[in-house]
Amino acid sequence: MAAGIPAPGNAAPTAGDSTRFLISDLCSELETYLEPAEVEEVYRAYLLGAESHEGQTRKTGEPYIYHPLAVARTMAEMRMDHQAISAAILHDVMEDTATSKDRIHAEFGEEVAELVDGVSKLTHLHFQSKAEAQAENFRKMMLAITRDIRVILIKLADRLHNMRTLGVMRPDKRRRIAKETLEIYAPIAQRLGMNAMRRELEELGFSAKHPWRAAVLERAVHRSGGNRREPMKNIEQAICSRMEASGIVGRISGREKSLYSIYRKMRDKHHSFEEVFDVFAIRIVVDDVDTCYRSLGVVHNLYKPVPGRFKDYIAIPKSNGYQSLHTILFGPQGIPIEVQIRSTEMDRVAESGIAAHWQYKAGSESSRTAQSRAREWLKDVLEIQNSVGNSIEFLENVKVDLFPDEVYTFTPGGDILVLPRDATPIDFAYAVHSDVGNRCVAAKIDRQLAPLSVRLQSGQTVEIVTAEGARPNPAWLSFVVTGKARTGIRHCLKSMQTDEARALGQRLLDKALGGLGTSLKHVSPGRLDALLDAMQLPDLDKLLEDIGLGNRMASLVGRQLVGMEGTEAGDDTEEGAPPGQSLAIKGTEGLVLSYARCCHPIPGDPIIGQLSAGRGLVVHREKCRNVQHEGRDRADRTIALEWSHDPEMQFTAAIRTRTANRRGALADMAAVIADHGSNIEHICFNEQDGHSTAMTFLLTVRDRQHLAQIMRGLRRLKDVLRIARQRG
Ligand code: MN
């Protein structure tokens, strides 16, 4: 493997090159745990990476390829599989070079291609919100977008190297990247239990974001450090000999507190530097759980424990799977000593978290897929969690694609909205504000117009286009998933219906009173109030609404208002008023007016209206059988209607056809229909025999004339044997 490795591996090193990590170093590291064929493949990935980044340099002046190599090194230190290492080497090629996903797929297979693609997707996400609460959502978004947890590990390794080489950046850029590291990446590492990674990200982030504070703290730590060395050593010694005396074998080490953890304690708990720093921290690592508890007994015997400060994270682990015993002791001269006690296995998990569960094992293990490894880790942690019953918190914290129940979307301003899975732009709009939902007319997803019913994906930026006077569409109810959208739409429709019912009720009552030779203006207020009282209605609006909804008959109310109470239905059928007094239908009456599906009336047809309780007015064709049969007994519920001069919408007409069974016949018909500016809403196949087929078409038309033109066009087709409008 080592033979024939080209530059930069064998290039003559220039000054300062000695610390550079080379492909030959990577290969020898990989050879300790991967098969030769797998190392070979990583090497091929290196060749493609070097070729793709040829001529590019980093801000440090180095050839670009050193960056992906450094990322691969971190992955190798985590003992990741060869696909993840290859992807780490190629992680920037899709973003920064002409090398495509297809090429990676062709040369290294789907798994590597998907990993590189996943990292590129995360690269496109930009955290820009100022609000701190949004950071949590952004972290969840990153995890939700990622189908394979190895993508996150590569991204963390990528960020780690960028932080290590941050010094060359402009100060403002440095601070921005440092902030993002502290707010997004370090917490993700922590969530995945990767404490070593988290610590380094935090230290680098802290000194880049607050260089001055970090320097002051470092000087303080340095000053105090000298005085501590002696007592610290004595304490370690004392514990060590006590443990030996009890026959316990273990590692004891003093822990250096990180600058960032000191800073955070001072900031969050308002402690002075001395309060935070004048604490000795000791870690004891032993073989097994049992020995952990025995060691605890030993140290509690040696120094008195501080009451109430003992924590058993072995029995009740932290939500990322961390396990240890924590206790605080009164040391010599009253100096507090923080002690962590854990097993070797717990220590490994505490340092590398999910990566510890991932580490490559040769042989049969290699057949396990990425998903099954991630799932195994989750299962391990969940099992620990289940025993103490806080698995819900854990699931809340670790959202990988294994639990894809939420989508994380951006507002145009960079805020993140969390929506349930399958949420649509309408749900998004109502989540922003009910006014935005009610006035929504279109949506842009990542700047492209998109249907309002499309299912949103994590990471998308959604912009809602609103229009003054726009209203929710009842059809939205069939695809929204959030309660907020559903309630918002229903509420708005209901108030629209109320308004429309009132307007229709007003027109119906005007007409009824007109037929009696009077009008609402001429009805005395006293009589109106008396009638409202008798009906137990609060006001005229409510009465008009009732009429519009078909709950009361305008004719009857009219007669009561002019003092003809006695003349109830059956007196005559005066609703068949002269044509001049018919109600004009514009087609824009909205929710209180609908068109009967039995006869599909269109402008030009003689029409008649039927009031049906709660639904308002249903328009039928005059000849419709449904009206003919029922109409007689329900004269009071039947209203003469006519079309207004200029109906403002498309109507639906039904035609029945019989056509020859010839391939292409339907296509010809569809073409004729389209040529006439009509759409097919629905086709129903009624029956078929050896040579012909009967169908019913629902077509959009403007009026009778339009329909007649379409039917004439269809009749000309030789395959169309018969055609007629459907009767009610
Ligand atoms: Mn990178």
Side-chain angles (χ1 to χ4, degrees):
M1 189 72 248
I5 293 170
N10 284 350
T14 50
D17 258 359
S18 55
T19 57
R20 267 188 195 159
F21 187 74
L22 309 173
I23 180 62
S24 49
D25 302 328
L26 179 66
C27 288
S28 26
E29 171 106 32
L30 295 179
E31 275 158 9
T32 63
Y33 72 96
L34 289 182
E35 301 294 322
E38 294 171 336
V39 180
E40 187 71 46
E41 182 160 328
V42 171
Y43 185 71
R44 284 202 299 119
Y46 164 73
L47 292 181
L48 176 60
E51 177 198 319
S52 304
H53 290 296
E54 170 109 62
Q56 295 178 343
T57 51
R58 297 197 88 212
K59 276 242 163 60
T60 55
E62 289 182 317
Y64 195 91
I65 189 68
Y66 283 113
H67 163 64
L69 263 180
V71 175
R73 172 196 208 167
T74 304
M75 298 296 283
E77 284 163 1
M78 296 186 217
R79 294 285 180 269
M80 298 302 289
D81 50 44
H82 70 280
Q83 291 98 336
I85 305 279
S86 299
I89 293 181
L90 297 171
H91 81 268
D92 276 331
V93 300
M94 275 173 60
E95 202 56 29
D96 298 341
T97 79
T99 305
S100 68
K101 181 179 175 183
D102 287 345
R103 175 150 182 216
I104 300 171
H105 188 282
E107 293 188 24
F108 300 96
E110 185 173 354
E111 213 172 323
V112 176
E114 286 302 328
L115 286 172
V116 175
D117 192 44
V119 178
S120 303
K121 277 205 187 93
L122 290 188
T123 306
H124 282 295
L125 287 186
H126 292 291
F127 182 64
Q128 43 185 332
S129 174
K130 301 269 180 301
E132 246 178 59
Q134 290 284 322
E136 170 67 17
N137 284 333
F138 190 80
R139 294 194 290 267
K140 287 185 181 173
M141 175 189 274
M142 287 188 67
L143 293 171
I145 279 178
T146 308
R147 289 211 195 86
D148 188 326
I149 199 77
R150 286 176 297 177
V151 168
I152 293 282
L153 300 184
I154 295 172
K155 196 67 200 163
L156 287 171
D158 177 42
R159 177 52 61 118
L160 184 64
H161 186 245
N162 287 337
M163 289 304 293
R164 283 173 177 169
T165 55
L166 193 61
V168 292
M169 291 286 184
R170 278 201 329 258
D172 57 324
K173 226 178 161 191
R174 219 184 296 163
R175 268 194 303 277
R176 187 183 61 72
I177 295 173
K179 181 177 190 289
E180 198 180 65
T181 301
L182 290 175
E183 288 183 357
I184 308 294
Y185 290 93
I188 286 181
Q190 178 178 28
R191 176 157 303 167
L192 298 176
M194 304 165 72
N195 282 315
M197 171 77 80
R198 187 213 66 195
R199 257 196 319 273
E200 188 172 354
L201 289 174
E202 280 179 353
E203 287 304 276
L204 294 167
F206 176 50
S207 60
K209 189 173 175 227
H210 302 296
W212 189 78
R213 289 175 219 190
V216 169
L217 265 185
E218 193 169 5
R219 269 201 301 279
V221 167
H222 193 75
R223 255 200 321 272
S224 318
N227 311 329
R228 295 161 48 93
R229 221 157 284 145
E230 205 51 37
M232 189 73 188
K233 222 179 185 161
N234 294 339
I235 292 169
E236 276 181 54
Q237 205 62 64
I239 296 179
C240 203
S241 44
R242 271 300 175 95
M243 282 177 59
E244 265 171 34
S246 313
I248 298 174
V249 183
R251 265 189 302 126
I252 302 171
S253 52
R255 285 185 298 124
E256 281 294 311
K257 280 222 158 91
S258 74
L259 292 183
Y260 188 61
S261 74
I262 297 172
Y263 168 71
R264 211 164 29 186
K265 274 210 178 103
M266 291 171 66
R267 186 192 60 187
D268 297 347
K269 301 192 172 161
H270 304 289
H271 286 171
S272 70
F273 173 74
E274 284 71 26
E275 280 176 293
V276 177
F277 189 69
D278 283 350
V279 176
F280 291 139
I282 282 180
R283 178 173 303 151
I284 300 173
V285 179
V286 294
D287 283 346
D288 50 37
V289 175
D290 189 54
T291 318
C292 292
Y293 288 102
R294 285 202 294 135
S295 310
L296 180 74
V298 168
V299 297
H300 277 186
N301 202 327
L302 180 61
Y303 302 113
K304 261 197 188 342
V306 176
R309 298 301 296 274
F310 166 67
K311 290 203 183 86
D312 188 345
Y313 290 122
I314 291 180
I316 304 175
K318 289 194 179 177
S319 59
N320 59 11
Y322 174 88
Q323 288 184 290
S324 268
L325 299 175
H326 287 191
T327 187
I328 297 181
L329 311 170
F330 289 112
Q333 289 120 46
I335 300 171
I337 312 168
E338 280 180 12
V339 183
Q340 299 177 346
I341 305 172
R342 55 203 190 209
S343 70
T344 318
E345 176 61 20
M346 290 171 191
D347 193 48
R348 203 168 67 90
V349 172
E351 285 305 295
S352 22
I354 189 169
H357 294 252
W358 202 278
Q359 284 160 1
Y360 184 90
K361 293 172 197 127
S364 60
E365 305 274 356
S366 65
S367 63
R368 291 187 302 170
T369 64
Q371 288 298 333
S372 76
R373 277 165 192 254
R375 214 170 273 139
E376 230 161 77
W377 173 68
L378 288 169
K379 213 180 85 207
D380 279 0
V381 182
L382 276 176
E383 256 162 33
I384 304 169
Q385 296 292 322
N386 275 336
S387 59
V388 293
N390 60 351
S391 59
I392 305 224
E393 184 208 350
F394 173 73
L395 290 184
E396 272 306 302
N397 284 337
V398 183
K399 300 264 182 185
V400 286
D401 193 54
L402 304 168
F403 304 98
D405 52 359
E406 279 172 353
V407 290
Y408 300 84
T409 53
F410 286 112
T411 67
D415 279 349
I416 295 168
L417 275 187
V418 187
L419 297 165
R421 184 169 48 140
D422 288 342
T424 63
I426 297 292
D427 293 293
F428 181 98
Y430 277 96
V432 173
H433 196 280
S434 56
D435 279 351
V436 177
N438 290 338
R439 289 184 294 126
C440 168
V441 288
K444 287 181 183 169
I445 295 176
D446 294 333
R447 300 205 184 133
Q448 302 277 312
L449 274 173
L452 290 172
S453 59
V454 75
R455 305 292 174 203
L456 296 174
Q457 311 279 323
S458 280
Q460 288 176 332
T461 299
V462 184
E463 185 187 347
I464 298 297
V465 183
T466 59
E468 217 44 65
R471 301 158 147 202
N473 184 333
W476 293 353
L477 288 169
S478 67
F479 57 72
V480 297
V481 299
T482 54
K484 195 162 179 200
R486 205 174 296 283
T487 316
I489 295 166
R490 288 227 177 90
H491 182 81
C492 189
L493 289 177
K494 179 97 185 97
S495 73
M496 275 162 55
Q497 195 188 32
T498 306
D499 291 349
E500 285 163 359
R502 250 173 231 166
L504 179 63
Q506 175 97 57
R507 290 173 67 194
L508 289 171
L509 186 59
D510 280 350
K511 186 174 84 80
L513 289 170
L516 299 167
T518 180
S519 76
L520 203 51
K521 261 181 259 159
H522 293 99
V523 174
S524 79
R527 185 170 279 280
L528 177 60
D529 285 345
L531 183 63
L532 289 173
D533 271 354
M535 290 172 165
Q536 293 182 315
L537 292 173
D539 52 25
L540 177 63
D541 276 348
K542 187 70 192 148
L543 174 62
L544 295 176
E545 190 185 323
D546 265 5
I547 295 173
L549 286 174
N551 296 334
R552 286 177 198 280
M553 283 163 275
S555 55
L556 188 57
V557 173
R559 270 174 282 172
Q560 285 170 322
L561 279 175
V562 296
M564 301 164 63
E565 287 91 330
T567 57
E568 293 256 342
D571 180 23
D572 55 19
T573 51
E574 79 196 282
E575 284 287 358
Q581 291 197 16
S582 300
L583 198 66
I585 294 299
K586 292 195 290 273
T588 54
E589 283 77 4
L591 297 168
V592 288
L593 189 137
S594 56
Y595 299 91
R597 300 217 184 136
C598 46
C599 55
H600 291 291
I602 58 175
D605 289 333
I607 46 173
I608 192 160
Q610 259 187 349
L611 277 168
S612 89
R615 278 179 63 200
L617 195 56
V618 182
V619 182
H620 289 265
R621 284 159 73 185
E622 216 171 64
K623 277 187 277 182
C624 178
R625 251 175 265 140
N626 292 337
V627 185
Q628 302 267 303
H629 287 166
E630 295 171 26
R632 297 257 161 253
D633 325 324
R634 303 170 62 184
D636 261 339
R637 298 205 152 264
T638 309
I639 291 169
L641 298 176
E642 64 182 29
W643 297 100
S644 79
H645 288 305
D646 224 353
E648 295 162 25
M649 59 177 276
Q650 292 274 324
F651 294 83
T652 302
I655 56 170
R656 299 168 70 99
T657 63
R658 180 166 283 281
T659 52
N661 292 340
R662 185 189 65 82
R663 195 181 306 152
L666 189 56
D668 290 346
M669 296 173 75
V672 168
I673 291 165
D675 284 348
H676 283 83
S678 165
N679 290 320
I680 300 173
E681 282 184 352
H682 186 74
I683 300 178
C684 173
F685 291 85
N686 303 329
E687 41 108 359
Q688 188 166 32
D689 60 30
H691 54 95
S692 70
T693 305
M695 290 178 281
T696 306
F697 286 76
L698 290 186
L699 305 175
T700 60
V701 297
R702 287 185 300 279
D703 51 26
R704 264 172 88 102
Q705 211 183 346
H706 187 199
L707 179 63
Q709 286 163 5
I710 298 168
M711 288 172 68
R712 253 199 311 280
L714 288 172
R715 213 168 267 135
R716 275 192 216 112
L717 296 173
K718 66 176 186 318
D719 294 317
V720 176
L721 310 174
R722 212 161 356 134
I723 182 164
R725 187 157 175 213
Q726 188 176 40
R727 294 173 153 271

